[in-house]
Amino acid sequence: MSNLKHGLMQDWPLLVHTVLDHASNWQGDREVVSRSIEGPIHRCTYSQLSVRSKKLASAAMSELGIKQGDVIATMAWNGYRHMEIWYGIMGLGAVVHTLNPRLFAEQLVYIANHAEDQWVFVDLTFVPIFEALQDKLPTVKGYIIMTDKAHMPADTKLKNAICYEDLLEAGNETFQWPTFDERTACGMCYTSGTTGNPKGVVYTHRSNVLHAMASCMGDAMSFSSRDNILPVVPMFHANAWSLAFSGPMSGANMIMPGAQMDGASIYELLDAEKVSLTAAVPTVWLMLLQFLEENPDKMLPHLERVIIGGAACPESMMKIFEEKYGVNVLHAWGMTEMSPLGTIGSRRGGMEDMSAADWWQTQLKQGRPPYSIEMKITDENDKILPHDGKAFGRLKVRGPAISSAYFKGDGSENFADDGWFDTGDVSTIDDNGYMQITDRAKDVIKSGGEWISSIEIENIAVGHPLVVEAAVIGLPHPKWDERPLLVIVKKPDCEVDGQELLDFLQGKIAKWWMPDAVAFVDELPHTATGKISKLTLRKTFKDYVLPTGDAG
Ligand code: AMP
């Protein structure tokens, strides 16, 4: 027995700096291309980025006194400096806390205080946010403005404002990464929960490295050094879905979009940098597809795959990418609490005989879990439901890159003692293992005791040529408890009435799912991560009376 203690594999800790070391040593000439905040496109190699990350780590320790376990915030777009901070701060053993600039001021104050942020690295764009908030952030010692001397704002009111490039100058490029336990915290991100205070998710070195490896697998995102990856999804939204780890790990070129995510700017990068894979929430793709529609001479010849997640991908969007532009859509589902990848819709072996129509319906689902994620659906009594594509229940997950609790123990009711995390999503799983989200549990519409999937109705409604965005919410009803209201943003300068939209849904959804009314709005409310905010929408329509409401 005791012999088995000797001659084992090395206890090589899975620390995130090893990802950058590997990229620098073996893919040293591959590039990180960034649209800089100052204007021009910036290019550097992984070798250069590695040297600058070491200089940053060294200067952070010597000049700012940052040490292992300190929480250091960033509020920044995707760019090379954000990546240097990412690896430099995590590599020295401190924690990078990405702040989402789209949050309300009071949420930001709550989050920064709850996390006890010590320093903030801030892009030029967001300096005014902290000038306004800094008096409410007592734990923050100072602000590093992510620019060079020439672009430093002369009159900034930020306390202890330091120029990023000056700080880097003070660093030592021969800095050696320290070694410590792979279970050490390295990242933090707050979920923009729709109820209660935001909750902190803490990533470890081990969870990030394992998650990145799982993301790279062939049936997951399938990255290689031949890819040019454009993460439009920001690093402050669930680690840019891990792309700032999995990209360098696979040696792909990274194309960082900076502050400009409109259709024209994204197209420009897709084309100029021959991007092969990109990832973002559906609202970003709405802007790109609209730009392409207005510019019919422009196509997407280099783009092979687009990962769409964060909210359900409508069928019409998938169709345009696949059929008009020849781009393979990978529909993915995940959560901040899951690092974030949970499932992804690549085609499984053994399904070669499936008809094109059946594959199309399968591809619209949110997909299958890669290795390292355990997943089940259960009823209200925690009884496991079958994988028949019909039974829907609460979706639960566990694995090495899934939270075991929220920071400081908040919201612990979502975590069971045996590790299963209740995602708050309701879904089905079919006999090929493809999971489909029906709704957030709190958005589910219950009509006469039966559930109606708001997501499914929305996805069909946006397929109408004159509809830009659609949302379905449940409103109180005297007879059925709740009935659906369809809320529509229509294309500008077009005429379409409610009945025409209901006719469009006819035959595509169950009769009793048919919305009782259609309301038109100029725009839908969105959360800080680009999802339609049903909570706000329900508030807007709280006094709305359905025409069937008096039916009794
Ligand atoms: P976040 O942690 O902000 O990324 O939000 C995670 C939540 O977004 C999930 O629990 C789902 O409700 C929703 N979500 C993520 N991806 C999808 C998807 N592909 N389809 C439908 N909902 C999604």
Side-chain angles (χ1 to χ4, degrees), residues 444-448 452 474-477 480-484 546:
V444 153
I445 302 169
K446 219 161 186 189
S447 173
I452 294 176
L475 291 184
H477 190 278
W480 301 108
D481 290 339
E482 274 188 326
R483 289 296 300 157
L546 290 168

Side-chain angles (χ1 to χ4, degrees), residues 191-192 237-238 241 308-313 331-337 340 366 423-425 437 439-440 455 529 531:
T191 61
S192 52
H237 182 193
W241 302 350
I308 304 185
C313 171
H331 193 191
W333 163 84
M335 299 182 78
T336 303
E337 291 88 332
Q366 277 78 0
T423 63
D425 285 323
I437 300 276
D439 254 316
R440 283 301 284 168
I455 291 187
T529 49
K531 300 179 216 299

Side-chain angles (χ1 to χ4, degrees), residues 23-275:
S24 161
N25 291 337
W26 296 98
Q27 310 283 0
D29 57 347
R30 304 293 281 160
E31 284 186 315
V32 176
V33 181
S34 311
R35 192 190 288 282
S36 68
I37 311 303
E38 297 87 353
I41 297 286
H42 175 277
R43 312 185 87 91
C44 65
T45 64
Y46 280 131
S47 295
Q48 291 164 334
L49 196 122
S50 167
V51 168
R52 283 172 57 94
S53 295
K54 286 180 180 171
K55 286 179 80 168
L56 177 72
S58 144
M61 293 173 85
S62 64
E63 309 302 304
L64 307 181
I66 293 176
K67 55 187 187 318
Q68 190 171 335
D70 285 350
V71 180
I72 309 301
T74 64
M75 188 181 279
W77 301 110
N78 292 359
Y80 67 103
R81 289 192 181 114
H82 203 175
M83 264 176 94
E84 291 161 9
I85 298 161
W86 187 265
Y87 281 100
I89 296 296
M90 293 189 199
L92 75 84
V95 178
V96 173
H97 172 203
T98 47
L99 287 166
N100 183 340
R102 297 177 185 135
L103 291 169
F104 294 119
E106 57 274 25
Q107 285 174 311
L108 282 171
V109 169
Y110 171 85
I111 289 173
N113 284 325
H114 191 262
E116 298 171 47
D117 293 337
Q118 305 266 305
W119 292 87
V120 181
F121 284 86
V122 56
D123 259 341
L124 280 170
T125 328
F126 305 124
V127 166
I129 293 185
F130 287 101
E131 285 177 338
L133 295 185
Q134 62 180 346
D135 291 345
K136 296 182 181 146
L137 307 177
T139 59
V140 176
K141 295 174 186 155
Y143 297 83
I144 302 95
I145 303 180
M146 294 163 62
T147 191
D148 53 22
K149 223 193 260 337
H151 294 90
M152 268 301 270
D155 52 351
T156 180
K157 293 178 196 65
L158 282 182
K159 74 172 179 191
N160 296 331
I162 298 168
C163 169
Y164 180 85
E165 292 296 334
D166 285 354
L167 176 68
L168 216 67
E169 274 305 298
N172 183 347
E173 66 180 61
T174 62
F175 176 81
Q176 299 285 314
W177 298 117
T179 292
F180 41 79
D181 191 325
E182 64 183 19
R183 287 168 183 79
T184 305
C186 70
M188 196 183 273
C189 188
Y190 278 69
T191 61
S192 52
T194 44
T195 49
N197 283 322
K199 297 179 190 72
V201 172
V202 184
Y203 308 99
T204 64
H205 286 260
R206 173 185 151 86
S207 70
N208 276 333
V209 173
L210 285 176
H211 177 271
M213 290 168 90
S215 307
C216 288
M217 287 195 292
D219 272 348
M221 298 187 189
S222 184
F223 296 140
S224 81
S225 57
R226 295 170 296 284
D227 276 316
N228 300 323
I229 300 177
L230 170 63
V232 187
V233 54
M235 290 160 81
F236 54 74
H237 182 193
N239 295 334
W241 302 350
S242 180
L243 299 175
F245 295 121
S246 47
M249 183 180 271
S250 54
N253 288 327
M254 296 293 283
I255 321 299
M256 307 298 254
Q260 285 162 247
M261 289 178 227
D262 59 285
S265 305
I266 293 298
Y267 176 81
E268 194 179 293
L269 289 178
L270 291 173
D271 192 52
E273 301 301 328
K274 298 188 169 46
V275 169

